[in-house]
Amino acid sequence: MKGTIPIPREHGAWAILFGSYLTGLAAAGTFSLPLLLFLLAISGVFLAHEPLVKLVRSLKHGGRRELMQQWALWAAVELTTASIAGAILVFQYRLLTLLPIGLFVALLLGIHLRLIAGRKERSVPGELIGVVGLTSAGPSAFYVGFGETDTAFWLVWSLNVLYFASGIFYVKMRVSRFLKPAVFKSRARGCIAYHSFQTAVLLAAAFNGWISWLMFLAFVPVICRAFWHTIHSEQQLNIKRIGYSEVAFTVAFVVLFAIGW
């Protein structure tokens, strides 16, 4: 296999997948061989995403045959690795619920690739589909470690979606200030609306005892950064700095989530 390994280049996608996985580990309160196999499975699917994207774009808009063959081979190797790890979990460890979860994620991946073919993957619905798919690593890791899907399974997934979806509205708002100033006000309103909704949901959950106040604190940094940058004007746009800061926020979220759980 010639050429470099095609890997996802977006820091945010890495943070969402593995950040969610770690919250699932924290919720399960354990680490085991099945969880290691599950990490291998989700890593295989995640790494296969990039060559699949390149293939879809090449098929739609034209590309070199040699490169397309390489990407197809990489995708096949990575998906085969994921399938073997997944099969061991399902048939050896009898974690049968992974089957419908895997089918659901495969459906989301198919929709995402279709959006990429139509160049609509950067829309809010397109990115939300990505968040839902990537954050499934959290509740699935909880299930693999805990062995059951109870209310905690859905709570882990909901909290991860609620957290990582905020980055969609926040980043779009910050980028639009410089690249699409005509839509900045509408993006800012969307960012404020989402984080207001996020805050209200978390306060209701904390007051009703569904989550701890420490877990609520895990969301406070991203809520504050959203409102701050809505009103605070910057001199220049630094995409890499935004990406690295989002990774740092994710680390803080995972740590506080683990303590607060």
Side-chain angles (χ1 to χ4, degrees):
M1 241 184 295
K2 299 179 181 180
T4 58
I5 302 175
I7 60 174
R9 293 171 294 177
E10 295 185 1
H11 299 94
W14 290 84
I16 296 171
L17 180 73
F18 295 109
S20 298
Y21 173 80
L22 290 173
T23 63
L25 251 62
T30 185
F31 188 73
S32 59
L33 178 58
L35 280 165
L36 187 60
L37 284 169
F38 179 67
L39 178 61
L40 179 63
I42 62 173
S43 297
V45 175
F46 180 65
L47 291 174
H49 177 268
E50 190 66 17
L52 287 174
V53 167
K54 291 181 180 297
L55 273 173
V56 167
R57 286 176 175 161
S58 295
L59 289 170
K60 182 72 174 180
H61 307 291
R64 290 171 53 191
R65 184 179 179 85
E66 180 184 353
L67 286 176
M68 292 172 66
Q69 290 176 340
Q70 289 180 19
W71 295 330
L73 186 55
W74 277 116
V77 168
E78 290 156 351
L79 289 176
T80 299
T81 302
S83 298
I84 293 172
I88 294 172
L89 290 169
V90 171
F91 299 109
Q92 177 66 32
Y93 291 96
R94 308 301 296 174
L95 295 168
L96 302 182
T97 304
L98 289 178
L99 283 174
I101 295 173
L103 289 173
F104 177 67
V105 172
L107 174 63
L108 293 182
L109 178 59
I111 295 172
H112 181 66
L113 291 174
R114 185 174 179 83
L115 289 172
I116 287 172
R119 296 182 175 177
K120 297 178 181 179
E121 74 277 10
R122 292 297 182 183
S123 64
V124 171
E127 294 196 14
L128 283 174
I129 288 171
V131 166
V132 172
L134 289 169
T135 55
S136 66
S140 300
F142 169 79
Y143 166 65
V144 172
F146 191 68
E148 296 179 11
T149 54
D150 56 11
T151 53
F153 174 92
W154 299 106
L155 181 60
V156 171
W157 202 343
S158 299
L159 290 172
N160 274 289
V161 171
L162 194 64
Y163 175 84
F164 287 109
S166 70
I168 297 173
F169 298 91
Y170 167 70
V171 172
K172 285 187 178 298
M173 183 268 295
R174 286 193 65 178
V175 170
S176 69
R177 188 191 295 270
F178 292 91
L179 302 184
K180 296 181 178 180
V183 300
F184 170 72
K185 288 185 177 180
S186 63
R187 293 281 171 83
R189 286 194 296 269
C191 185
I192 291 173
Y194 180 83
H195 287 85
S196 298
F197 165 78
Q198 182 187 54
T199 304
V201 170
L202 292 167
L203 284 173
F207 273 116
N208 284 281
W210 300 332
I211 63 172
S212 67
W213 284 102
L214 188 56
M215 193 170 292
F216 171 79
L217 184 63
F219 288 80
V220 170
V222 294
I223 294 171
C224 290
R225 65 95 160 91
F227 284 103
W228 168 254
H229 284 285
T230 301
I231 60 175
H232 178 70
S233 180
E234 304 165 280
Q235 295 301 316
Q236 61 181 3
L237 176 66
N238 190 323
I239 297 293
K240 285 188 176 181
R241 183 181 297 174
I242 295 174
Y244 289 133
S245 66
E246 288 300 288
V247 172
F249 280 125
T250 298
V251 172
F253 169 72
V254 171
V255 171
L256 291 172
F257 182 102
I259 298 172
W261 186 264

